[in-house]
Amino acid sequence: MVAMPPEITPPFESPPAAPIGDTTVSVRELCEFTAKRGDLDRRFTPSATALEGRAGQGLVAQRRGPDYETEIPLETRCGPLRVRGRADGYDPRRRCLEEIKTIRGHPDEIPENRRRLHWAQLQTYGALFCRARGLSEVALALVYFDVASQSEVELRQVYGAGELEDALARRCADFGDWARQEAAHRRARDAALRELAFPQRSFRAGQRDLAAAVYRTAARGRCLLAQAPTGIGKTVGTLFPLLRAMPLHGIDKVAYLTCKGTGRRAALAALDDLGAGLPGPSLRVLTMVPKDEGCEHPDKACHGESCPLAGGFYDRLPAARREAVALGRLDAAAQRRLALRHGLCPYYLGQELVRWADVLVGDVNHLFDANGLLWGLMQALDWRLAVLVDEAHNLVDRARRMYSAELRTERLRSAARGAPVAVRGALDTLVRAAEELLADTAAPYEALDAVPDGFVRALQTAAAALSAHFNRQPLNVGPLLNFHFELQRFAKRVETLGEHSLFDVQTCLGRPGGVDGEVEGDAIPGGNSDAALCVRCVAPAAFLRRRFEALHSVTLFSATLAPPDYAIRLLGLPQDTAWIDLPPAFPAAHLRVRVADGVSTRFADRERSLRRLASVIAGQFDEHPGNYLAFFSSFDYLERAAARLAALRPDIPQWQQARRMGAGSRAEFLARFTPQGRGVAFAVLGGVFAEGVDLPGPLLIGAFIATLGLPPVSVMQDRILARLDRLFGAGHGYADLVPAMQRVVQAAGRVLRTPQDRGWLWLLDDRYRRPEVIERLPAWWNLAGARADDAQPAG
């Protein structure tokens, strides 16, 4: 076994394991395991937000009177189980224990399986309450509170204590065998992880320091930002210490979350290496599969009357669950095989298995999205969750998209034209409200100080009408249902609008733009016939801060996280977040950095720059033939530069990234990089080939970056900058220079992938000599002393 860093080898005895029979279970967990029966029924029912839920419960309590008890902690032992939870409220005048559910709409719209679950929870609270208060009977009331109308519907029934005791005993007996199995698994898992060996012969340079920092973060329950360069072995270097920390610091689960699919594959490979020496399925690893990949019947509703894999889902779930936990490792393919063998939906089976896994591998949206499954389960089941976020430099942009939403007016008009009569009136009213809003907008882009009240009312009415329609017609799958989801998302974002977001209007829409002041594409034909109303999240910290605070520990790592205040302030990380900046895993001399001082890639200088750029690329290729990547700010600039190089040097092979490349085209692009190959590949900075691409050794020996990576010059960009200035003060660079330099460093990181690699990096813009640019790029690049080149023509 490789010697562990002192921080990972604890100088104390491991704590004794808890007895197998000592298992604590929440009321919710107990009831969800034992009371769910019948079909999967995922009809969309609009739910209240957490804030609305708390406000609704508070309002119900106020209506009950001053002697009304709220948030009553309850706990009891039932055989080997300790059952605990909090009852919402007790009205002593009516001797009535209440469970308050905040909803939007009428309780009749709630699927039957969900109502049965609500009653099971309330009956369990009733049994615990009778025990605690010595009652022979109690009235139980399910109170459904509609946040829209502020009205209540109460479903009330009186139960004897003996009847409630019998129901509790049955549920605990049903759960008891599973609980004993899970306690035994936890003991075996923790014992195995105490002896977990590092899977490689030795730590790489810097990898040991990274592992020690991750372990300290988990031990102290803190947050860490780790800037670790390519080649250091970040995946194993973060997973290994966190797995070692699990048994010693009471960590229930580890989540390895990524912003790109390539990171998930690397994590699964590392977990295979780490688990190779563990006995049996002592570590359960589950891939969290997105719905568009896990759904077998996307043309059907998630309802037993529509989808054959939803009918009887909860009746067949127990057998599949038993088989799943015995397998240990469940990637997407294994989940699909298991689910179809039992006649279950692979996607929803995976969601059910999340609570029984030890390590979860998936996208960041599972935790950070407003409806993220991990966030909901962690709160409900009181998990101690430790999180690793790979390629975390992408998290700011990903989180912004999670908390942004757009409503296209042409989509709205189309939905209104094709809607049934019951909802067409509400959609037509929303169309008129949107057109009135647009009529007051003079410029092609305008950020409004507030959303007009009339538009908000029309939006809420239309969203409620669509919700009611699809509750009455749950099997209708098609374009209107897709629009329904879009409208609900947009309405929620309007409700949460604050200083963290802009509400803006675009009346002349084009295709997504490039960078450095260039906007790609032409306006959509028809002038202002289509427009977009957008809630544009600028600073997602307001949404994420509470999530980071609730985690046991979190490590965000990437090769490009500097400056740390960018992530801390925009993501809402704790103020005591630790920072580590690890040196490269190879000598600085392995990467030869050159700056072409005589080149300007500013928008106004693009045409004049082409001859000089082609000359630099050709000169480097002649001096050191091999495979190169050349990055540009936009497809237009890329295509013109490639054409100029082809005219200057038709003998140099070249290939280009194209707009909207599919998976097959991307694979063909990368297949051109061969060990004996020679040529120049043209790509867009910030695109799919600028990060997450691994081309070690002779597959890639150099890169040219012909842009500073700045965002387009636009009124929108000015408004984003102004809002960030209002939140954080001026001079931060959060709107432009910081993310631009992160993109540059990511692209440059394609060149050296292992400590043995050698390569060249050309920065083709005179602005790379500016002090404010140099200070945001790696110090080991030594830009101040980097050789200048006059970029003379090469023939």
Side-chain angles (χ1 to χ4, degrees):
M1 181 187 295
V2 176
M4 298 298 106
E7 295 86 347
I8 302 180
T9 307
F12 47 80
E13 293 294 325
S14 299
I20 288 180
D22 187 28
T23 300
T24 298
V25 60
S26 70
V27 169
R28 173 172 171 171
E29 185 178 9
L30 176 67
C31 293
E32 288 192 343
F33 188 91
T34 60
K36 281 188 174 180
R37 294 290 184 269
D39 294 353
L40 179 71
D41 187 346
R42 303 297 295 182
R43 284 175 286 182
F44 183 84
T45 53
S47 58
T49 66
L51 182 61
E52 289 172 335
R54 290 191 294 271
Q57 289 187 352
L59 183 55
V60 172
Q62 289 177 13
R63 292 173 177 176
R64 296 296 186 266
D67 54 350
Y68 187 74
E69 300 177 42
T70 62
E71 293 291 315
I72 306 159
L74 297 169
E75 183 172 320
T76 193
R77 182 173 290 280
C78 186
L81 299 178
R82 186 183 300 276
V83 184
R84 66 183 183 186
R86 286 182 179 271
D88 287 336
Y90 178 66
D91 187 346
R93 290 179 297 121
R94 298 190 302 156
R95 299 181 63 189
C96 184
L97 188 71
E98 296 184 328
E99 175 76 2
I100 303 168
K101 300 295 185 183
T102 51
I103 62 172
R104 285 181 176 274
H106 194 274
D108 291 346
E109 299 171 353
I110 298 173
E112 177 61 29
N113 65 344
R114 210 170 304 175
R115 287 203 299 271
R116 285 200 303 266
L117 179 60
H118 294 165
W119 271 116
Q121 291 172 342
L122 180 53
Q123 289 164 359
T124 304
Y125 283 127
L128 271 60
F129 189 77
C130 286
R131 281 193 183 190
R133 302 289 174 100
L135 302 178
S136 60
E137 68 173 23
V138 67
L140 303 181
L142 266 178
V143 179
Y144 290 103
F145 179 82
D146 178 15
V147 297
S149 65
Q150 304 283 286
S151 62
E152 300 175 32
V153 174
E154 182 184 278
L155 307 178
R156 187 172 182 269
Q157 188 170 342
V158 177
Y159 288 88
E163 185 180 3
L164 296 173
E165 277 286 335
D166 290 344
L168 174 64
R170 286 194 301 272
R171 291 190 181 100
C172 289
D174 290 345
F175 188 72
D177 289 343
W178 182 268
R180 282 187 287 272
Q181 170 191 288
E182 289 305 287
H185 167 73
R186 177 72 174 250
R187 286 167 59 89
R189 182 200 79 178
D190 288 355
L193 292 180
R194 288 186 186 96
E195 304 301 322
L196 181 67
F198 192 66
Q200 299 166 358
R201 298 187 62 179
S202 62
F203 285 96
R204 297 180 187 179
Q207 193 179 40
R208 191 185 192 93
D209 293 333
L210 175 62
V214 172
Y215 186 89
R216 285 194 301 269
T217 299
R220 298 169 184 172
R222 293 185 60 193
C223 178
L224 170 68
L225 283 169
Q227 182 162 274
T230 299
I232 207 172
K234 295 188 285 291
T235 307
V236 172
T238 53
L239 275 169
F240 170 67
L242 199 51
L243 293 176
R244 284 292 295 260
M246 285 185 80
L248 300 173
H249 299 285
I251 297 171
D252 297 314
K253 298 183 188 298
V254 166
Y256 189 104
L257 305 178
T258 71
C259 296
K260 294 184 179 294
T262 52
R264 294 192 283 282
R265 291 191 290 272
L268 291 171
L271 286 163
D272 284 344
D273 291 341
L274 286 161
L278 297 178
S282 51
L283 188 68
R284 298 173 184 165
V285 177
L286 179 76
T287 300
M288 300 186 72
V289 181
K291 188 173 184 179
D292 59 350
E293 295 178 17
C295 178
E296 290 288 311
H297 299 289
D299 59 325
K300 294 178 172 59
C302 299
H303 187 281
E305 296 176 23
S306 176
C307 179
L309 300 180
F313 180 92
Y314 291 108
D315 300 328
R316 295 191 294 276
L317 175 61
R321 183 168 53 208
R322 285 192 297 271
E323 185 177 345
V325 298
L327 293 173
R329 186 188 190 279
L330 282 168
D331 59 12
Q335 288 177 58
R336 182 175 184 271
R337 289 193 298 270
L338 173 66
L340 297 183
R341 193 156 57 243
H342 288 270
L344 298 174
C345 169
Y347 172 69
Y348 283 108
L349 174 62
Q351 290 208 324
E352 290 289 336
L353 296 177
V354 165
R355 62 192 69 206
W356 313 116
D358 301 309
V359 181
L360 302 157
V361 178
D363 189 85
V364 291
N365 79 295
H366 294 297
L367 176 63
F368 296 114
D369 185 77
N371 300 312
L373 177 66
L374 270 182
W375 171 240
L377 289 176
M378 185 186 78
Q379 288 184 295
L381 304 179
D382 198 26
W383 288 342
R384 299 189 77 184
L385 179 66
V387 174
L388 299 171
V389 180
D390 192 2
E391 299 296 347
H393 62 280
N394 288 304
L395 188 56
V396 170
D397 281 343
R398 284 293 308 276
R400 282 172 168 163
R401 291 198 292 273
M402 291 175 198
Y403 294 95
S404 298
E406 183 180 79
L407 178 63
R408 287 286 186 109
T409 56
E410 191 52 45
R411 287 271 295 150
L412 171 59
R413 294 187 190 102
S414 175
R417 286 192 297 268
V421 174
V423 296
R424 189 179 304 155
L427 289 177
D428 285 340
T429 299
L430 181 57
V431 169
R432 289 192 294 272
E435 289 174 345
E436 290 174 8
L437 192 155
L438 293 171
D440 294 333
T441 304
Y445 172 88
E446 187 171 333
L448 307 185
D449 294 330
V451 188
D453 291 340
F455 176 80
V456 173
R457 287 192 297 271
L459 174 64
Q460 292 172 341
T461 301
L466 280 174
S467 296
H469 168 72
F470 282 106
N471 278 305
R472 292 190 300 267
Q473 306 288 334
L475 306 184
N476 285 357
V477 178
L480 186 61
L481 180 63
N482 295 331
F483 176 77
H484 168 49
F485 292 141
E486 293 174 19
L487 192 68
Q488 297 297 334
R489 176 184 173 86
F490 182 75
K492 284 208 168 187
R493 296 282 68 85
V494 170
E495 286 180 11
T496 59
L497 188 63
E499 285 289 293
H500 46 72
S501 301
L502 301 172
F503 183 83
D504 56 38
V505 180
Q506 289 177 272
T507 57
C508 187
L509 298 176
R511 293 192 297 272
V515 293
D516 273 358
E518 180 160 1
V519 178
E520 282 285 318
D522 301 317
I524 293 175
N528 293 349
S529 64
D530 194 15
L533 312 178
C534 183
V535 177
R536 193 178 309 279
C537 180
V538 173
F543 301 102
L544 303 187
R545 184 174 290 108
R546 183 164 167 252
R547 305 197 179 201
F548 284 116
E549 291 171 350
L551 295 172
H552 170 75
S553 71
V554 57
T555 294
L556 300 94
F557 59 98
S558 168
T560 51
L561 281 178
D565 57 275
Y566 177 68
I568 290 172
R569 299 176 81 178
L570 268 73
L571 295 174
L573 301 179
Q575 288 302 308
D576 64 350
T577 294
W579 164 256
I580 182 173
D581 186 5
L582 296 162
F586 40 77
H590 284 196
L591 183 68
R592 302 177 188 176
V593 182
R594 301 286 184 265
V595 179
D597 285 335
V599 175
S600 168
T601 63
R602 298 167 181 85
F603 184 69
D605 299 330
R606 295 284 168 83
E607 191 62 37
R608 290 191 297 273
S609 72
L610 295 176
R611 182 169 178 268
R612 307 290 296 278
L613 293 177
S615 296
V616 171
I617 294 171
Q620 174 66 32
F621 185 87
D622 288 340
E623 189 173 351
H624 300 283
N627 293 320
Y628 291 86
L629 264 168
F631 294 101
F632 291 81
S633 57
S634 69
F635 284 105
D636 178 72
Y637 196 18
L638 174 158
E639 290 160 358
R640 287 191 284 165
R644 182 58 62 93
L645 178 64
L648 177 69
R649 293 291 302 275
D651 59 307
I652 298 179
Q654 62 167 264
W655 59 103
Q656 301 176 27
Q657 177 183 352
R659 294 176 173 87
R660 294 175 290 277
M661 291 178 79
S665 298
R666 292 196 295 269
E668 291 174 7
F669 181 94
L670 294 174
R672 294 285 299 269
F673 295 89
T674 60
Q676 289 76 40
R678 295 183 178 185
V680 180
F682 288 79
V684 172
L685 187 71
V688 294
F689 302 116
E691 62 177 274
V693 172
D694 194 25
L695 298 169
L699 297 181
L700 183 71
I701 67 168
F704 307 92
I705 301 179
T707 174
L708 209 63
L710 296 171
V713 176
S714 66
V715 179
M716 181 195 299
Q717 184 63 24
D718 291 343
R719 285 302 190 109
I720 293 172
L721 175 60
R723 180 57 55 88
L724 290 173
D725 285 350
R726 185 192 302 180
L727 294 172
F728 304 115
H732 42 68
Y734 297 165
D736 39 41
L737 194 56
V738 170
M741 293 304 98
Q742 289 183 348
R743 285 191 288 268
V744 168
V745 177
Q746 276 294 321
R750 301 315 94 206
V751 179
L752 301 187
R753 306 302 296 171
T754 73
Q756 294 74 41
D757 289 353
R758 306 288 195 280
W760 287 264
L761 172 64
W762 277 90
L763 303 175
L764 304 178
D765 194 293
D766 53 21
R767 288 171 288 179
Y768 282 105
R769 293 295 190 188
R770 291 181 175 178
E772 67 272 19
V773 173
I774 291 174
E775 71 177 357
R776 286 179 169 83
L777 292 171
W780 62 271
W781 283 12
N782 190 25
L783 284 182
R787 194 186 85 187
D789 190 282
D790 291 333
Q792 295 301 319

